[in-house]
Amino acid sequence: MDEFSVELHEISKRFGQTTVVERISLRIRSGEFFSLLGPSGCGKTTTLRIIAGFESPDSGELLINGKLATHTPPQERDVNLVFQNYALFPHLTVEQNVAFGLEMQKLPRAQIRERVGKALELVRLSGLGARLPHQLSGGQQQRVALARALVTEPSVLLLDEPLGALDFKLRQEMQLELKRLQRDLKITFLYVTHDQEEALKMSDRLAVMHQGRVLQIGPPQEIYERPATRFVADFIGESNFLEGRVVHTAGRRAVVQIGPLQTNVFSDTPLQLHQRVTLALRPERIQLCLPDAGNGTWTGLVEELIYIGKETRYRVRLSPEITVTVSSPGASNGITVGERVGLTWDPQSLRPIEEYSA
Amino acid sequence: MSTRTLLWPGLVWLLLFFAVPVGIILVISLGQRAPDGTIRWGFSLDNYLRLLEPLYWTGPFWNSLGLAALTTILCLVLGYPVAYSIARRSAAVKHLLLFFVILPFFTNFLVRIYAWFILLRPEGWIAWLLRSLGLDLALLGSPVGVLIGLVYGYLPFMILPLYATLERFDFSLVEAAHDLGASRWQSFWKIIFPLSRPGVIAGAVLVFVPVLGEFITPKLLGGGKVPMFGVLIEEKFLGRVPDWPLGAAMALALMILVSLVLARYFQQLKESRWVG
């Protein structure tokens, strides 16, 4: 088995005047659950369609299982796609839908029947084989689409927002189920989604895409804790952005002046003295404390307070120009609008990011 | 106003201009031809029994059935790729191409068939071209000429319903078929064609049924040498030796046959369970 299931080298694709995918390079490991995450129109679906063979890239190379496949027709690729709208054949029964790929391989009838039965069992649809797609619920149709794509045992399964059409509860269930399938079958899953929570929850690694480019690749924790760009920090979770200037450096540590405030920053790459810098700080990484506690804490005025059940969100004004959002679990513990509060955080949570003008 | 009230104008129209005339035809068909060519009223099934005579069975009837079937098949084979190709264009190109499909309707049918009369003449350029290719084929006054005219005349009636079906077709199904290993040929026969069946059936009915009763095209391009049922009916009413009762019986027999075809059509549509 090759180390990489899918490799993209400098893949670009334009539609007319617009560049949809711009020089994307990715290497997806065998047996990995890899997600392409980004807002709609970021090029993630086009990238998936290039891998499936429905679009031909204008430049760059695509390798599937180590073999060049840039211009191989879709029917000859060892990848199957689960379509966003499922694309079940409406005139064929569930069994016939699942059997389709095996029939194209001209396998003996008995073997087809056996494998179809197993695939339906795998997605917990045994007993519904004789139904037509329109007689099934959305969740069941989704399972048929999965079984149909998995039954031919492709080395890579491509999934294009497969849970987008399902309601919240069912989506949660299917996320776990997909993860289970992927672990049991040890197939490479390449998952396209715009739902950051879904991507963080399911992926071994993910790539964040924006405007046809890959901004950052890494495991969920790295993407969340150490976003490389402002876009990533904002799209995945939420961030407060603080703009300042470096006034003192000492190795990996620097002191940044933000308006009237100062703070310590630790950075992987040393910051330069007098450099302008943008810092990202997640609302849930800020704790409220007593005002005027000194010791690197900041003090501000609660301007707004919203209780949303699992957490309470505060808008705290630190200076006429600077406000930050803080979220802390549970109810507000007696803090009211207009009250002065102190803010504190783990210095590791405050991260300088690349100012990416997108 | 209830929706039932909306039915009335149409119902009255149908009653006056369909049910009543059919009733009149039925009454005529039960009469007899008087020696002077007028109708002698009566109540006999003689005319219908006469239809079973080989004279009607062998020639005109089979000609009509055969030509209608052949026209339908040719229209399907020629029309399907056209409809498919139009359905896959961008919206602007689609509308332009559809306009070209219905453009012939802007000209009178008779005029267009006369145009074919000129094209298919032995001294016309098509015959000349065929002759220079070594094919001495009689076009005018032969079933081939009639067939050309019929296919020409009815092709749009095949293309339009096929287009309507294919235009709504979800082509991600074709991608799914390719993805699962189907060749273009396989995805056509396993996915596209079965799913376009309602359009195929509608087109087939719209071509087959009217061609069965056609008389203008065979009369002009067949030059009386290609007897078809429709021509025979027309002659019984307007010919030199009129026989209205027999003509009426023939018209009704044809109508019953067509109704049977239509009943089969609605049956087929009902079997397309996945629709709706």
Side-chain angles (χ1 to χ4, degrees), chain A residues 49 52 54 74-75 79-81 83 85 87-92 97 100-101 103-104 106 132 134 148-149 152, chain B residues 170-184 186-187 189-195 273-276:
Chain A
R49 290 175 59 80
F54 300 137
Q75 55 265 37
V79 302
N80 281 351
L81 176 62
F83 290 75
N85 64 354
L88 297 178
F89 306 129
H91 59 307
L92 302 181
N97 263 283
F100 192 87
E103 274 167 13
M104 293 304 113
K106 303 217 159 43
L132 285 170
H134 80 261
R148 186 179 69 176
T152 56
Chain B
D170 175 8
F171 284 98
S172 71
L173 297 179
V174 180
E175 289 187 342
H178 287 312
D179 192 54
L180 294 165
S183 64
R184 282 163 157 267
Q186 282 168 321
S187 67
W189 286 112
K190 297 224 162 228
I191 307 299
I192 302 173
F193 193 73
L195 282 172
R273 287 177 293 170
W274 67 87
V275 182

Side-chain angles (χ1 to χ4, degrees), chain B residues 9 29 48 74 88 142 174 178 184 202 222 231 239:
Chain B
S29 76
Y48 292 94
L74 278 174
R88 303 233 53 182
S142 80
V174 180
H178 287 312
R184 282 163 157 267
V231 181

Side-chain angles (χ1 to χ4, degrees), chain A residues 78-351:
Chain A
D78 190 18
V79 302
N80 281 351
L81 176 62
V82 176
F83 290 75
Q84 192 170 7
N85 64 354
Y86 315 142
L88 297 178
F89 306 129
H91 59 307
L92 302 181
T93 64
V94 168
E95 255 163 17
Q96 290 168 329
N97 263 283
V98 177
F100 192 87
L102 300 174
E103 274 167 13
M104 293 304 113
Q105 293 177 2
K106 303 217 159 43
L107 294 181
R109 261 187 196 289
Q111 199 182 334
I112 292 180
R113 193 164 320 136
E114 191 198 320
R115 281 172 69 175
V116 168
K118 269 196 191 144
L120 287 178
E121 212 170 291
L122 193 69
V123 297
R124 298 172 190 177
L125 277 183
S126 305
L128 296 183
R131 300 257 186 105
L132 285 170
H134 80 261
Q135 297 167 320
L136 301 177
S137 71
Q140 289 169 331
Q141 291 182 15
Q142 163 68 69
R143 287 155 192 270
V144 177
L146 262 174
R148 186 179 69 176
L150 284 171
V151 76
T152 56
E153 294 168 4
S155 59
V156 185
L157 190 69
L158 310 172
L159 302 106
D160 185 9
E161 308 233 7
L163 309 181
L166 304 181
D167 61 56
F168 183 73
K169 277 274 172 214
L170 197 54
R171 198 157 66 222
Q172 304 273 318
E173 246 177 74
M174 283 304 292
Q175 284 170 359
L176 294 174
E177 187 131 353
L178 280 173
K179 194 71 190 151
R180 172 184 70 86
L181 276 173
Q182 194 262 340
R183 255 198 315 267
D184 293 353
L185 299 170
K186 298 179 180 70
I187 291 177
T188 310
F189 272 38
L190 181 50
Y191 194 94
V192 158
T193 181
H194 66 268
D195 183 337
Q196 38 119 349
E197 216 180 287
E198 198 167 277
L200 292 175
K201 200 193 282 184
M202 302 172 76
S203 318
D204 296 322
R205 286 195 307 150
L206 57 133
V208 182
M209 289 184 68
H210 183 52
Q211 295 185 334
R213 293 167 195 265
V214 170
L215 300 185
Q216 193 174 356
I217 304 173
Q221 193 176 338
E222 189 182 308
I223 302 271
Y224 191 82
E225 299 294 339
R226 295 192 288 168
T229 70
R230 183 173 187 139
F231 179 83
V232 175
D234 205 26
F235 185 72
I236 315 237
E238 259 183 287
S239 287
N240 291 297
F241 295 105
L242 303 163
E243 272 145 50
R245 190 181 289 278
V246 178
V247 292
H248 177 76
T249 59
R252 284 184 56 234
R253 192 177 75 90
V255 178
V256 175
Q257 180 85 35
I258 306 153
L261 308 164
Q262 275 199 352
T263 185
N264 280 322
V265 174
F266 294 90
S267 171
D268 302 337
T269 49
L271 295 171
Q272 304 299 311
L273 198 60
H274 306 309
Q275 178 192 343
R276 288 196 146 279
V277 66
T278 300
L279 303 172
L281 182 58
R282 299 216 179 262
E284 74 275 14
R285 295 291 152 87
I286 306 175
Q287 279 108 45
L288 297 177
C289 60
L290 293 173
D292 308 311
N295 222 351
T297 64
W298 289 349
T299 298
L301 213 62
V302 177
E303 267 194 352
E304 199 179 74
L305 184 152
I306 307 167
Y307 172 69
I308 52 171
K310 62 173 179 177
E311 62 181 35
T312 306
R313 302 173 62 82
Y314 306 86
R315 233 180 126 62
V316 179
R317 181 162 298 281
L318 296 168
S319 82
E321 287 83 31
I322 308 169
T323 61
V324 294
T325 302
V326 180
S327 86
S328 63
S332 67
N333 290 328
I335 296 170
T336 54
V337 173
E339 202 171 321
R340 275 163 53 82
V341 291
L343 306 181
T344 180
W345 56 87
D346 175 356
Q348 295 292 339
S349 307
L350 188 67
R351 303 209 44 90

Side-chain angles (χ1 to χ4, degrees), chain B residues 86-245:
Chain B
I86 297 176
R88 303 233 53 182
R89 304 292 130 194
S90 68
V93 180
K94 259 183 205 174
H95 293 146
L96 184 71
L97 291 174
L98 271 187
F99 174 72
F100 286 136
V101 171
I102 59 168
L103 191 61
F105 292 133
F106 290 24
T107 315
N108 184 285
F109 185 64
L110 210 56
V111 174
R112 287 185 284 137
I113 292 301
Y114 261 117
W116 275 106
F117 182 85
I118 294 164
L119 283 171
L120 296 177
R121 280 181 310 178
E123 57 271 36
W125 63 267
I126 294 177
W128 173 83
L129 201 72
L130 286 174
R131 264 199 306 278
S132 57
L133 289 169
L135 282 165
D136 201 5
L137 206 62
L139 295 173
L140 216 53
S142 80
V144 178
V146 176
L147 188 63
I148 291 173
L150 287 173
V151 170
Y152 161 78
Y154 287 90
L155 192 55
F157 295 99
M158 181 63 86
I159 292 176
L160 292 175
L162 279 176
Y163 167 78
T165 305
L166 291 169
E167 208 265 331
R168 282 177 291 137
F169 192 81
D170 175 8
F171 284 98
S172 71
L173 297 179
V174 180
E175 289 187 342
H178 287 312
D179 192 54
L180 294 165
S183 64
R184 282 163 157 267
W185 189 247
Q186 282 168 321
S187 67
F188 178 76
W189 286 112
K190 297 224 162 228
I191 307 299
I192 302 173
F193 193 73
L195 282 172
S196 62
R197 205 173 63 161
V200 172
I201 296 167
V205 166
L206 285 180
V207 173
F208 186 82
V209 168
V211 170
L212 213 50
E214 249 281 354
F215 67 93
I216 295 174
T217 311
K219 215 173 155 84
L220 282 175
L221 301 181
K225 285 174 215 152
V226 185
M228 280 178 72
F229 212 63
V231 181
L232 227 55
I233 295 174
E234 186 253 2
E235 275 171 3
K236 293 296 167 211
F237 283 94
L238 304 173
R240 257 165 292 165
V241 194
D243 186 344
W244 283 35

